[in-house]
């Protein structure tokens, strides 16, 4: 296995909501997103591995390893074929008032990682690969109540053979996946969640935005 290099980690919180969009509604939603962002979405092809870590205190840590197979721009930070974004995700936030939030809030740690087989590196560290997928679509950045929202609208594919992009099969044919995220500092998730909720109201006539699982 080739060596793997990592940059310094960045800890934050992520607010996320998701939806499914019928194929016949994609054009309407795309036009709306372009109007809100003021520009066309960035075309991306994302490859993601999902891994589960060793169980500690009855909780298994979760990792997402993502790199960009193709993009119109380097703005994603995932443009190099051997550069991966490694995101560790904590459990959804719990407690008083969480049920009223429009998005799921998780503590996350993100690090940039490079190497020829990053997934194998993390597997050697004790993480187990659960599945992998490819997302083919567009990313939009828009402002809502002074908060920047990152919106991904994409077709989702699973891979029948690990690492073999030619083996991909579309998940839920006829529907696209919508993901809305916003970063938040610890204890300051209310405003991003409210912004996501307001965005959900804006697109409610097209699809129903809900908390991520």
């Amino acid at each position: 296995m080739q060596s793997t290099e990592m940059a310094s980690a960045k800890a934050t919180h992520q607010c996320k909501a998701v939806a499914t969009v019928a194929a016949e509604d994609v054009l309407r939603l795309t036009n709306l997103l372009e109007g809100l962002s003021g520009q066309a979405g960035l075309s991306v092809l994302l490859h993601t591995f999902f891994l589960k870590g060793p169980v500690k205190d009855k909780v298994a840590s979760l990792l997402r390893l993502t790199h960009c197979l193709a993009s119109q721009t380097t703005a994603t930070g995932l443009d190099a074929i051997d550069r991966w974004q490694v995101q560790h995700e904590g459990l959804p936030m719990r407690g008083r008032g969480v049920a009223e939030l429009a998005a799921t809030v998780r503590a996350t740690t993100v690090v940039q990682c490079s190497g020829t087989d990053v997934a194998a590196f993390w597997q050697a560290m004790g993480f187990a690969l659960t599945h992998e997928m490819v997302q083919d679509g567009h990313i939009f950045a828009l402002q809502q109540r002074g908060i920047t929202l990152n919106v991904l609208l994409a077709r989702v594919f699973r891979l029948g053979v690990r690492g073999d992009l030619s083996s991909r099969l579309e998940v839920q044919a006829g529907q696209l996946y919508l993901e809305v995220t916003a970063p938040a500092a610890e204890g300051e998730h209310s405003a991003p969640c409210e912004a996501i909720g307001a965005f959900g109201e804006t697109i409610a006539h097209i699809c129903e935005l809900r908390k991520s699982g």
Side-chain angles (χ1 to χ4, degrees):
M1 181 178 66
Q2 299 293 324
S3 61
T4 298
E5 298 180 357
M6 287 181 285
S8 58
K10 180 180 180 181
T12 184
H13 282 70
Q14 183 188 71
C15 307
K16 181 193 292 186
V18 299
T20 53
V21 183
E24 59 266 27
D25 293 325
V26 169
L27 181 58
R28 277 201 302 160
L29 180 58
T30 299
N31 290 337
L32 178 57
L33 292 173
E34 289 178 347
L36 292 172
S37 63
Q39 59 185 350
L42 301 175
S43 177
V44 293
L45 183 64
L46 304 175
H47 182 199
T48 302
F49 288 100
F50 296 82
L51 300 97
K52 183 177 293 186
V55 177
K56 182 178 181 181
D57 297 328
K58 299 183 179 181
V59 177
S61 55
L62 301 175
L63 284 184
R64 289 176 185 252
L65 313 181
T66 302
H67 73 143
C68 197
L69 298 169
S71 175
Q72 290 178 328
T73 177
T74 60
T76 59
L78 299 169
D79 52 289
I81 195 67
D82 66 341
R83 184 182 304 163
W84 294 73
Q85 182 185 80
V86 182
Q87 179 170 302
H88 175 272
E89 299 184 354
L91 292 174
M93 181 180 292
R94 299 177 181 177
R96 186 176 181 181
V98 170
E100 286 72 40
L101 296 176
T104 299
V105 181
R106 297 176 185 264
T108 61
T109 301
V110 177
V111 63
Q112 299 295 325
C113 186
S114 63
T116 55
D117 198 341
V118 173
F121 170 80
W122 287 101
Q123 286 178 286
M125 296 291 288
F127 287 81
L129 177 65
T130 59
H131 63 287
E132 62 180 311
M133 70 179 184
V134 170
Q135 294 169 307
D136 186 359
H138 295 82
I139 293 177
F140 302 83
L142 54 92
Q143 294 289 316
Q144 193 79 38
R145 297 188 176 183
I147 301 293
T148 299
L149 303 183
N150 297 306
V151 181
L152 169 67
L153 178 62
R155 295 187 181 277
V156 178
F157 302 84
R158 64 177 178 83
L159 298 187
V161 179
R162 181 187 181 278
D164 182 1
L165 299 179
S166 67
S167 70
R168 62 184 188 180
L169 300 171
E170 188 170 3
V171 177
Q172 291 186 313
Q175 292 186 320
L176 273 71
Y177 173 72
L178 179 72
E179 178 182 282
V180 185
T181 60
E186 185 173 1
E188 298 181 5
H189 54 270
S190 295
C193 286
E194 289 173 0
I196 291 175
F199 175 71
E201 293 176 1
T202 301
I203 65 172
H205 62 293
I206 300 175
C207 60
E208 180 182 0
L209 203 60
R210 62 187 184 279
K211 292 183 177 181
S212 66

